[in-house]
Amino acid sequence: MLPRYAYLGPAGTFTEAALRQVAGPDEATYLPQADVVAALDAVRSGDADYAVVAIENSVEGAVTAVLDTLATGEPLVLLREMLVQVSFTLAARGGTELADVGRVAAHPHAWAQCRGWLRENLPGAVHVPSTSNTASASQLAGSDELPFDAALVPPPAVSHYGLQALAHDVADNGGAVTRFVLIGHPGFVPAPTGADKTSLMVHLPDNEAGALLTMLEQFATRGVNLSRIESRPIGDELGRYSFSIDAEGHIAEARMGEALMGLRRVCPVVRFLGSYPRADAAPNEVRLNTSAAAYEDARSWVEKLRSGAAG
């Protein structure tokens, strides 16, 4: 039986492009979902073995629905990350001219990445939100009357859905990249590569001065760099936040293990969301005094002291 992958559909999304980096259509069963939460829920329910979802965009930042869904409920872990270059085509049904367009369907992240282009080329255009970057393309391919005239879609969706391209390379930032992650059940941690990330969700103690500094010190004193940290509301009341964190390193490394043990001691909630290879394969920088050899030497020294050896 082929592994089943849930992803944001329908066919032709950037998420599908990320999924193809993991497994081709002949190697897996693709399960398109209406949104990213449904993709994650499919894994939790057993309807899918894995999910591929966007987690961060270089223009718009984090995909908060993914962060918040991973922060609660049955634990899931990140197994891999993938990067996809992002640009859009403004597409419509055949016979449509750019001058005819007054309403544009787009996923909110797509709209945000193209605001400047739209303001310059379609001043006054109204945004019609779409659940994905190809949901509107699929609608345009039908015969129903729609509440929009054109849509921002991934370039491959134009031919896939038989649409007409009104403008190519629509984007305010030509170097925009979206980071996607492969999600699965706990139980398998990819082996360390030397170019890894560890993702966490951490709660701070309530009403404790310096709590954030105490949390950050668990990383800093072990030489663990944070590539991303942002607060998210816990949701039970105003003023309570958790922190979503990407740290450079792998749980198998002594310095990362020590950092996690430190967090466990000082923070009421620490959720491990996985250690996995970096998509860019850039080696993690390790200070000499936080290397595996340095930790082993220090551990060996303490054991000798405990056994009565001279210090």
Side-chain angles (χ1 to χ4, degrees):
M1 182 178 174
L2 295 175
R4 301 163 299 166
Y5 290 82
Y7 74 101
L8 178 63
T13 58
F14 292 114
T15 309
E16 184 182 325
L19 171 52
R20 286 173 180 266
Q21 295 183 32
V22 177
D26 57 338
E27 304 171 291
T29 300
Y30 287 11
L31 303 175
Q33 306 294 315
D35 54 53
V36 292
V37 174
L40 296 174
D41 285 345
V43 180
R44 285 178 167 149
S45 68
D47 292 334
D49 302 302
Y50 304 99
V52 171
V53 294
I55 199 168
E56 184 181 10
N57 177 266
S58 61
V59 176
E60 279 296 284
V63 180
T64 55
V66 171
L67 297 183
D68 295 344
T69 304
L70 291 174
T72 59
E74 179 187 338
L76 296 173
V77 292
L78 283 61
L79 303 173
R80 176 179 169 181
E81 67 176 15
M82 300 77 70
L83 303 179
V84 175
Q85 293 283 133
V86 175
S87 67
F88 299 89
T89 296
L90 183 67
R93 290 171 172 167
T96 304
E97 300 292 336
L98 190 62
D100 301 329
V101 177
R103 300 161 299 170
V104 178
H107 186 275
H109 277 239
W111 182 267
Q113 292 176 63
C114 301
R115 282 194 193 100
W117 188 97
L118 291 162
R119 189 163 49 246
E120 181 177 346
N121 295 275
L122 288 173
V126 175
H127 178 206
V128 179
S130 179
T131 56
S132 81
N133 288 314
T134 55
S136 51
S138 177
Q139 291 175 289
L140 283 169
S143 58
D144 295 339
E145 187 173 337
L146 299 173
F148 55 88
D149 310 304
L152 291 170
V153 303
V158 178
S159 58
H160 182 87
Y161 290 99
L163 304 178
Q164 173 185 330
L166 301 181
H168 297 281
D169 298 320
V170 177
D172 297 343
N173 185 335
V177 175
T178 296
R179 174 182 166 225
F180 294 84
V181 288
L182 174 65
I183 303 288
H185 291 287
F188 171 72
V189 180
T193 66
D196 304 289
K197 288 181 182 177
T198 293
S199 293
L200 306 162
M201 187 279 297
V202 181
H203 289 199
L204 298 184
D206 291 337
N207 301 320
E208 183 176 309
L212 177 57
L213 176 60
T214 299
M215 185 265 283
L216 293 174
E217 284 177 339
Q218 307 311 310
F219 298 103
T221 57
R222 282 121 180 148
V224 176
N225 186 51
L226 304 185
S227 59
R228 184 186 61 83
I229 177 170
E230 54 193 287
S231 61
R232 295 296 306 147
I234 293 174
D236 53 358
E237 60 182 86
L238 288 173
R240 284 183 22 91
Y241 291 86
S242 63
F243 286 85
S244 176
I245 296 170
D246 288 337
E248 295 181 357
H250 193 283
I251 192 173
E253 299 170 349
R255 65 196 184 103
M256 184 64 76
E258 293 275 355
L260 291 180
M261 285 189 282
L263 290 173
R264 176 76 174 180
R265 292 197 313 271
V266 301
C267 297
V269 176
V270 180
R271 176 171 282 210
F272 173 70
L273 295 175
S275 289
Y276 50 93
R278 293 170 56 138
D280 60 10
N284 301 130
E285 292 187 14
V286 181
R287 296 202 309 254
L288 186 62
N289 65 339
T290 62
S291 67
Y295 271 99
E296 182 54 38
D297 176 70
R299 187 176 293 108
S300 175
W301 177 69
V302 170
E303 289 302 322
K304 288 178 181 178
L305 295 178
R306 286 171 174 167
S307 64

